[in-house]
Amino acid sequence: GDSVTQTEGLVTLTEGLPVMLNCTYQTIYSNPFLFWYVHYLNESPRLLLKSSTDNKRTEHQGFHATLHKSSSSFHLQKSSAQLSDSALYYCALSAYNNAGAKLTFGGGTRLTVRP
Amino acid sequence: NAGVIQTPRHKVTGKGQEATLWCEPISGHSAVFWYRQTIVQGLEFLTYFRNQAPIDDSGMPKERFSAQMPNQSHSTLKIQSTQPQDSAVYLCASSLVGSQNTLYFGAGTRLSVL
């Protein structure tokens, strides 16, 4: 079945430094949809960004990610971390583009940004 | 739009007791999902419904977990004979046709089994 791997469970950064959270996936489907969800403390998880286009950069709220099918990766990046970026980040995969296709999530990466 | 509503927010049960978790999806959304969130497993898929019909329950522990969607406005997840390892945050999400699989999550129910 599908799987998503986030290699870092915990990432601690100093404010202003770049952010990179790793995400790789496995699926038999040739056109997967990849997502990053962010879960802030005391809030509901919500979509940060998504992509299904190979080698195209997707950006939202200062974060960006590029789907690379050749390496099955969808790493999340930001040029300069802010204190408010501290949260739990999940990478997810879906094989289909329709409502009612389940998302397979990775184990999550907890990002802590310190002053 | 109130978003996905989950009740209760917190539930404490004793080992062996039953727990029922409720979810009200966003009106008009055709799919409802249940996930379990733990530190070790992350977001673990349990089951989902499309247009109220059960589609995939491959993530459900078969013996004690069950889910229903009796109408388009709510879904329930029932855990019989709860065990300490069932302690987790249970998240419900819904999605809309044409939304490219964007899931809208509720705030979750934190289940603690003592």
Side-chain angles (χ1 to χ4, degrees):
Chain A
D2 297 340
S3 67
V4 176
T5 301
Q6 294 179 246
T7 52
E8 310 100 349
L10 295 169
V11 172
T12 301
L13 290 173
T14 301
E15 188 178 18
L17 290 181
V19 178
M20 181 162 173
L21 307 184
N22 290 316
C23 172
T24 57
Y25 64 90
Q26 286 189 316
T27 181
I28 63 172
Y29 300 100
S30 58
N31 294 304
F33 291 80
L34 272 295
F35 305 79
W36 277 99
Y37 277 77
V38 58
H39 191 183
Y40 295 103
L41 189 63
N42 297 323
E43 295 185 12
S44 306
R46 59 180 173 85
L47 179 68
L48 180 57
L49 46 80
K50 61 185 177 184
S51 179
S52 60
T53 305
D54 198 14
N55 297 318
K56 181 180 178 181
R57 176 169 159 146
T58 299
E59 298 190 37
H60 187 61
Q61 294 185 327
F63 288 90
H64 63 93
T66 302
L67 175 59
H68 292 296
K69 293 183 181 180
S70 61
S71 58
S72 298
S73 67
F74 191 58
H75 306 319
L76 182 68
Q77 299 182 68
K78 188 177 185 184
S79 59
S80 176
Q82 298 177 296
L83 296 176
S84 58
D85 295 330
S86 295
L88 189 52
Y89 291 81
Y90 289 103
C91 184
L93 161 73
S94 175
Y96 303 108
N97 174 25
N98 59 9
K102 75 180 185 186
L103 268 64
T104 299
F105 286 85
T109 298
R110 181 167 295 282
L111 174 65
T112 301
V113 181
R114 59 188 181 191
Chain B
N1 187 345
V4 176
I5 299 172
Q6 290 190 248
T7 55
R9 291 294 311 275
H10 303 275
K11 186 167 182 68
V12 180
T13 66
K15 182 178 175 181
Q17 293 184 328
E18 182 178 288
T20 300
L21 314 180
W22 295 74
C23 171
E24 180 179 333
I26 294 172
S27 178
H29 282 199
S30 57
V32 172
F33 302 80
W34 285 96
Y35 285 85
R36 178 166 61 183
Q37 183 183 41
T38 62
I39 293 173
V40 174
Q41 298 289 341
L43 273 174
E44 182 185 11
F45 170 77
L46 294 176
T47 186
Y48 82 97
F49 300 83
R50 186 190 304 147
N51 296 322
Q52 296 175 235
I55 302 298
D56 183 344
D57 67 353
S58 59
M60 294 275 275
K62 296 301 182 194
E63 292 184 350
R64 299 181 295 106
F65 284 59
S66 62
Q68 293 183 328
M69 191 162 185
N71 56 60
Q72 63 184 10
S73 63
H74 89 273
S75 175
T76 59
L77 179 68
K78 183 179 293 186
I79 308 171
Q80 295 179 313
S81 184
T82 54
Q83 303 297 310
Q85 62 265 30
D86 299 331
S87 297
V89 176
Y90 289 82
L91 288 163
C92 177
S94 66
S95 69
L96 177 67
V97 171
S99 67
Q100 294 185 318
N101 273 1
T102 299
L103 297 188
Y104 295 85
F105 283 91
T109 295
R110 181 176 295 278
L111 176 66
S112 299
V113 182
L114 304 178

